[in-house]
Amino acid sequence: MSWLERIRPALSFLTKKETPDNLWTKCRGCGQMNFHRELVDNMNVCPRCEFHERIGPKERFQQVFDGGKYERLAIPSVTEDPLKFRDQKKYTDRIKAARGATGEPEAFAVAEGQIEGISAVVGVQNFAYMGGSMGMGVGEAFIAGAEAALDSRVPYVVFTAAGGARMQEGLLSLMQMPRATVLTSLLREAGLPYIVVITDPTTGGVTASYAMLGDVHIAEPGALIGFAGQRVIEQTIREKLPEGFQRAEYLHEHGMVDMVVHRKRLKAQLGSLLGVLTNAPAKAA
């Protein structure tokens, strides 16, 4: 018997403990590792480079509503696989995986609460759910939020984040663009503010519809905003595009976005806008 085998029982206290796999998060902006708790406490904004990480409905609702208090609104159910679509996986399997990973029934969630003392309905698109892609479920959820705002006579605030239409639903996904557009028109006719907060990324059919139909457009710093990708555009027009031309700051400079607001100031900015647009001053900070 070797000396190591003889002393091994006495070294049992040195057994390596498993390290949680979510203890650190690598910043997609600067590449530095951030302690997860520190990142969460900083509203999921990198404390080193100010890169705004993508967040889901739960985090967004807690950040934007007063005291983190809100009431989720029911989302109408839709046919899950109208085209019986299959690529490498069945569409139904992709839906199950997305629900399991996010804990959300769809890529769009709606809640009602108060922002700086002003009642509002807030819709949040979840990029973690199949890239926030717009299908029938997202369309119904957006419409449900708009109808709730119309019924309660309150503003509608929508946070967009999407890679575009959901290919697994074909033409049915594209039909959500005019459907959502009709609801934005109804909000305008009713004199109710419709504010869009564009987050990273917002592209494709979402940009071509309700993301660009707001009364006010706010973007988070560095957000990618566009319809087609830069490479596709360059190949089509055969010209080199300016650096960062699809980023929030560039679009703000060229008039497509009204303002670029840091996440830490976003709630106060929304409250101020809602106060002006509803003639109901937001509560003092």
Side-chain angles (χ1 to χ4, degrees):
M1 179 183 296
S2 69
W3 67 271
L4 181 59
E5 292 175 331
R6 288 197 300 269
I7 68 171
R8 182 173 293 168
L11 300 177
S12 59
F13 69 93
L14 295 177
T15 302
K16 182 179 179 181
K17 295 182 179 179
E18 292 295 326
T19 302
D21 57 6
N22 62 347
L23 193 59
W24 297 89
T25 301
K26 185 176 181 179
C27 175
R28 294 189 297 113
C30 63
Q32 295 295 313
M33 298 299 293
N34 291 315
F35 185 50
H36 183 69
R37 176 48 56 189
E38 179 185 7
L39 188 63
V40 171
D41 291 343
N42 203 44
M43 303 182 77
N44 288 95
V45 176
C46 178
R48 295 170 177 81
C49 71
E50 298 292 303
F51 182 84
H52 285 50
E53 297 286 353
R54 297 164 184 165
I55 59 176
K58 182 179 178 180
E59 295 85 358
R60 188 70 72 176
F61 290 147
Q62 289 177 340
Q63 290 178 8
V64 76
F65 284 120
D66 294 348
K69 297 180 180 179
Y70 57 90
E71 180 180 353
R72 285 273 194 134
L73 303 183
I75 302 301
S77 59
V78 298
T79 302
E80 290 191 350
D81 189 9
L83 303 181
K84 307 300 179 185
F85 191 94
R86 179 180 183 131
D87 42 32
Q88 289 93 343
K89 294 181 180 179
K90 292 181 180 179
Y91 179 33
T92 51
D93 291 340
R94 293 191 182 278
I95 292 175
K96 290 177 182 177
R99 288 175 176 169
T102 63
E104 297 288 342
E106 247 303 339
F108 197 100
V110 185
E112 191 167 11
Q114 290 194 331
I115 302 174
E116 300 293 341
I118 300 173
S119 296
V121 173
V122 176
V124 177
Q125 207 154 0
N126 188 2
F127 190 77
Y129 190 111
M130 296 184 69
S133 52
M134 178 181 61
M136 292 191 299
V138 168
E140 289 294 339
F142 179 90
I143 291 171
E147 290 178 339
L150 288 165
D151 292 341
S152 299
R153 301 290 303 174
V154 299
Y156 191 26
V157 180
V158 170
F159 290 78
T160 62
R166 191 170 298 177
M167 58 172 284
Q168 291 90 346
E169 296 183 17
L171 182 61
L172 296 173
S173 66
L174 299 179
M175 289 172 61
Q176 308 314 309
M177 296 169 62
R179 295 182 72 222
T181 300
V182 169
L183 267 296
T184 63
S185 297
L186 293 178
L187 288 167
R188 187 169 294 109
E189 291 174 7
L192 298 174
Y194 171 51
I195 298 177
V196 180
V197 182
I198 308 172
T199 73
D200 182 67
T202 296
T203 61
V206 172
T207 304
S209 56
Y210 56 83
M212 284 297 172
L213 293 175
D215 299 309
V216 179
H217 295 98
I218 303 173
E220 286 195 327
L224 174 66
I225 307 167
F227 181 68
Q230 180 171 344
R231 178 177 54 83
V232 173
I233 298 173
E234 289 180 337
Q235 290 177 348
T236 301
I237 66 175
R238 298 182 181 180
E239 289 186 17
K240 184 68 177 176
L241 295 169
E243 185 67 26
F245 91 108
Q246 287 183 318
R247 295 293 172 177
E249 292 76 11
Y250 183 92
L251 296 179
H252 178 229
E253 291 176 3
H254 291 78
M256 282 193 67
V257 172
D258 295 305
M259 59 188 77
V260 179
V261 181
H262 194 285
R263 193 172 289 169
K264 291 182 179 180
R265 301 192 305 272
L266 184 56
K267 181 174 181 289
Q269 183 66 70
L270 284 172
S272 178
L273 284 171
L274 293 176
V276 171
L277 294 174
T278 62
N279 294 318
K283 67 181 181 181

